[in-house]
Amino acid sequence: MADRHYRIAVIGGDGIGPEVTDQGLKALAAASDRSGFTVETNHYDLGGARYLRTGEVLPDTVEAELAGHDAILLGAVGTPDVPPGVLERGLLLRLRFDFDLYVNLRPVKLLPGVPTPIAGLVPDRCDMLIARENTEGAYTGSGGTIRMGTPHEVALQESINTRLGVERVTRFAFEQAAARRGHLTLCHKTNVLTYAGDLWYRTLTELAERYPDVTTDYVHVDAMCLYMVTSPERFDVVVTDNLFGDIVTDLGAAIQGGMGLAASGNLNPEGRFPSLFEPVHGSAPDITGRGWANPVAAVLTVAMCLSHLGEHESASIVEDGVAAVLPTMESMGGPDMGATTDQLGDRIAAAVAEG
């Protein structure tokens, strides 16, 4: 990207998705104006509303267009009228698999002025990065049922773990740890899931020889849920499988102040396909259009996108803008937020522009 021009696909989606995405784009525009790069945004109508209107989830032609971008910003998808699994498998999981977005990266960081349900927790004690394997495990859809609907029904759901999949996400996590505080924790359940757990543990041990400046640790997933609440400072970078990562990152979102603050990236680290960045909250159809949606996660998602594109200084500027505005808010969401969704987005964009 020598010319510092980026093509970004924007999927506002459903519910509050377009509302919070608009605020992220305000911060993106402010950062680009300040830092001198240019952005071309192309908007795509994907999600529950399109499915109900046309019966399409992700046409092949649209997926091919998405592949030609440098990154994808997604607001949220989902509507009560669409059956569970249609959008998840037809859009989100399809993009993860087809674009080989094998790392789901979730920061868990407590910002100044943000309330947390953990008594006594201060920002310095909570700053971790969770790298979740994103294309294998229990999410591959491998399994089946027999005797469905009878008293003898059997349901089989298999977790697929390959050496390639485990090694590449673990290597990515080592690289992140080396650039941070030099500590990597593997989270699994090796005492029960002895086959998959052994593969993960052996891979960590073998790769550790290539990263002598990174110390390693192991924790059972149930124990990690405990430690994230009682002593989050023990974690720097965490690597884990798809299912465990899905669970512990939502706990992390609660610790850092709620889903309205939780950003994520679905990454293809080599850049063969565009990475996808999304706030982890849902479409929240019950508050759509009320101005109650917290856009901070969408803005922090933009910061993650900028960092992935190599615009690290701009990413820091966006994060600093959020940190400057948050202590002025009465709460982090809902009708008592102290500002509407648009007003909070404007404040953050102004802070980004002013520095």
Side-chain angles (χ1 to χ4, degrees):
M1 311 293 179
D3 58 356
R4 300 182 68 203
H5 175 76
Y6 307 104
R7 299 183 71 243
I8 297 181
V10 180
I11 305 171
D14 304 308
I16 65 170
E19 300 174 43
V20 298
T21 300
D22 285 348
Q23 313 317 311
L25 292 177
K26 290 177 185 177
L28 177 62
S32 67
D33 289 343
R34 179 173 171 181
S35 300
F37 62 88
T38 57
V39 177
E40 171 192 342
T41 56
N42 298 304
H43 293 255
Y44 288 87
D45 175 22
L46 296 171
R50 174 173 181 151
Y51 174 77
L52 292 172
R53 190 175 66 251
T54 69
E56 298 177 309
V57 178
L58 178 60
D60 293 343
T61 54
V62 175
E63 184 181 44
E65 290 183 25
L66 293 175
H69 290 78
D70 298 309
I72 303 169
L73 294 178
L74 171 67
V77 294
T79 175
D81 297 325
V82 176
V86 172
L87 299 176
E88 291 84 353
R89 290 212 165 270
L91 178 59
L92 301 178
L93 290 181
R94 178 177 171 182
L95 287 175
R96 289 182 189 178
F97 293 133
D98 289 358
F99 287 179
D100 203 19
L101 307 178
Y102 64 85
V103 176
N104 179 268
L105 193 63
R106 288 273 294 269
V108 179
K109 184 176 182 179
L110 183 60
L111 298 172
V114 177
T116 172
I118 308 303
L121 184 60
V122 295
D124 289 347
R125 291 185 57 209
C126 183
D127 182 5
M128 70 185 80
L129 198 58
I130 301 177
R132 163 191 169 192
E133 201 290 317
N134 211 29
T135 60
E136 297 187 348
Y139 288 55
T140 60
S142 178
T145 61
I146 59 173
R147 306 187 190 96
M148 183 181 292
T150 76
H152 303 287
E153 181 173 348
V154 177
L156 179 66
Q157 195 80 45
E158 297 176 320
S159 178
I160 306 298
N161 300 265
T162 69
R163 174 68 191 219
L164 170 66
V166 173
E167 183 172 327
R168 63 185 184 175
V169 71
T170 305
R171 185 184 301 111
F172 175 87
F174 267 110
E175 295 289 344
Q176 296 300 306
R180 283 170 51 100
R181 302 195 302 273
H183 185 70
L184 176 61
T185 301
L186 169 63
C187 171
H188 209 279
K189 191 67 176 173
T190 57
N191 60 337
V192 175
L193 305 178
T194 53
Y195 301 118
D198 178 63
L199 172 59
W200 278 86
Y201 192 83
R202 281 188 291 107
T203 302
L204 178 84
T205 302
E206 293 167 16
L207 285 176
E209 297 179 3
R210 307 179 194 177
Y211 298 89
D213 295 331
V214 176
T215 60
T216 60
D217 189 16
Y218 170 81
V219 63
H220 289 324
V221 62
D222 47 340
M224 180 167 180
C225 292
L226 171 68
Y227 296 141
M228 287 179 70
V229 173
T230 61
S231 52
E233 65 272 12
R234 70 177 285 162
F235 300 115
D236 176 19
V237 177
V238 177
V239 64
T240 188
D241 89 332
N242 210 336
L243 179 58
F244 295 148
D246 198 2
I247 296 168
V248 300
T249 51
D250 275 8
L251 175 58
I255 291 171
Q256 70 184 108
M259 289 293 190
L261 298 165
S264 77
N266 299 276
L267 309 181
N268 179 263
E270 295 79 19
R272 292 185 296 108
F273 295 97
S275 294
L276 183 151
F277 300 86
E278 59 176 323
V280 301
H281 57 67
S283 59
D286 56 321
I287 63 169
T288 300
R290 298 191 180 190
W292 294 355
N294 186 346
V296 170
V299 175
L300 292 175
T301 291
V302 165
M304 293 186 70
C305 178
L306 288 171
S307 181
H308 179 73
L309 293 173
E311 298 290 344
H312 302 293
E313 181 179 354
S314 293
S316 296
I317 289 171
V318 172
E319 291 173 354
D320 290 344
V322 170
V325 171
L326 283 183
T328 70
M329 308 310 298
E330 295 180 14
S331 72
M332 293 301 105
D336 59 343
M337 189 164 58
T340 66
T341 303
D342 282 338
Q343 289 170 342
L344 181 50
D346 288 341
R347 292 184 192 179
I348 295 173
V352 172
E354 295 167 3

